[in-house]
Amino acid sequence: MTSFLTHRALVHDARLPLRRRHNALRTCITLFAPYGFRATYHHLTLSAAIPRRLEADPDALVRAVEELHEARVLWLARAEEYAAQRRAEKRSGRRAVSNPRPWWLRSRWDGPDHAWHQDPFRHPSLRLSAYVRRQNAILDGAEPPGCPACGNEGLRVPSSTGHGCIELCRECAWVLTPCSCGKRHRFVPEISFSWNGIWQRAHMSDDGMPNPHWPAG
């Protein structure tokens, strides 16, 4: 089985070609991605300032994998607590999983509020560890202020579904008020994109800053 820690070590290994280290980072994201693979990768390109040309700042890969590792440690601790809780519940005869399910067990279909599954640019701007702490707190019964995902307390953005209206978080497009029909609606990205463009960091410049000419050029 592929090991997160093994590939984290590869990202740190300065003797390896940068492409190999970058691929190791990708493997780490496939094993733990709080925002989903594409949105988590996009988040790390911004937070770790990964330049379009990796040669311009090889240490950016280390910053990215360490942010991911920090959040994963928090998740592992909470997941172990949950597993112990479930074992105790099963021994007492409670086999049904509580609803809602823990945030890390929900698929993209379980979470229609997660706009970043359709638009990887609209994820929270929180550091991944802060997002994990927030979701763990909500799982434990806390009710933090603002958007459940990012904490933004600004004005909500109305969006038409064709036969109704939903309200979105201005920052991360989390669905704060669902459609009255009760059905899930696909979130349409504001900016057209291709995965290859995200992977090749077309949205970044060689200095690690967002590309001011993207997406136009």
Side-chain angles (χ1 to χ4, degrees):
M1 179 179 293
T2 301
S3 165
F4 181 97
L5 295 180
T6 296
H7 284 83
R8 174 187 172 223
L10 294 178
V11 176
H12 277 265
D13 192 343
R15 298 169 300 177
L16 296 176
L18 283 173
R19 184 183 297 272
R20 177 70 182 90
R21 295 170 66 189
H22 185 235
N23 285 339
L25 173 63
R26 176 187 62 186
T27 300
C28 288
I29 299 173
T30 63
L31 297 172
F32 180 66
Y35 298 153
F37 180 82
R38 295 187 302 177
T40 298
Y41 178 77
H42 177 261
H43 165 81
L44 291 173
T45 64
L46 298 175
S47 64
I50 303 177
R52 186 165 187 174
R53 288 182 58 255
L54 295 176
E55 294 81 3
D57 186 6
D59 289 340
L61 298 177
V62 175
R63 294 194 296 270
V65 80
E66 285 308 294
E67 178 178 348
L68 193 65
H69 173 64
E70 179 186 13
R72 182 174 177 269
V73 169
L74 295 173
W75 161 68
L76 282 174
R78 187 62 185 87
E80 289 173 0
E81 291 177 2
Y82 178 77
Q85 173 189 329
R86 286 295 297 138
R87 288 193 293 269
E89 290 175 347
K90 289 178 180 179
R91 286 195 296 268
S92 65
R94 284 186 55 195
R95 304 197 67 83
V97 178
S98 59
N99 188 34
R101 292 162 62 87
W103 59 270
W104 62 85
L105 294 180
R106 300 173 199 163
S107 70
R108 60 184 300 175
W109 306 113
D110 293 327
D113 301 328
H114 297 56
W116 52 83
H117 283 304
Q118 285 81 44
D119 186 350
F121 303 110
R122 294 298 299 273
H123 53 76
S125 59
L126 295 174
R127 187 172 177 85
L128 294 178
S129 58
Y131 174 78
V132 169
R133 286 191 182 96
R134 186 175 183 85
Q135 297 310 303
N136 286 346
I138 293 174
L139 178 62
D140 292 334
E143 296 182 3
C147 170
C150 69
N152 183 278
E153 299 183 55
L155 295 175
R156 301 182 177 198
V157 179
S159 178
S160 174
T161 62
H163 58 270
C165 184
I166 59 178
E167 291 183 322
L168 307 174
C169 171
R170 183 176 296 277
E171 178 180 332
C172 70
W174 180 282
V175 179
L176 298 171
T177 303
C179 183
S180 57
C181 72
K183 295 182 179 179
R184 301 170 179 173
H185 297 281
R186 180 175 179 81
F187 182 81
V188 179
E190 295 179 349
I191 301 173
S192 60
F193 66 90
S194 69
W195 166 239
N196 283 338
I198 298 175
W199 178 245
Q200 296 170 2
R201 300 170 304 289
H203 56 284
M204 301 297 288
S205 300
D206 287 345
D207 59 0
M209 299 296 290
N211 180 0
H213 304 295
W214 183 88

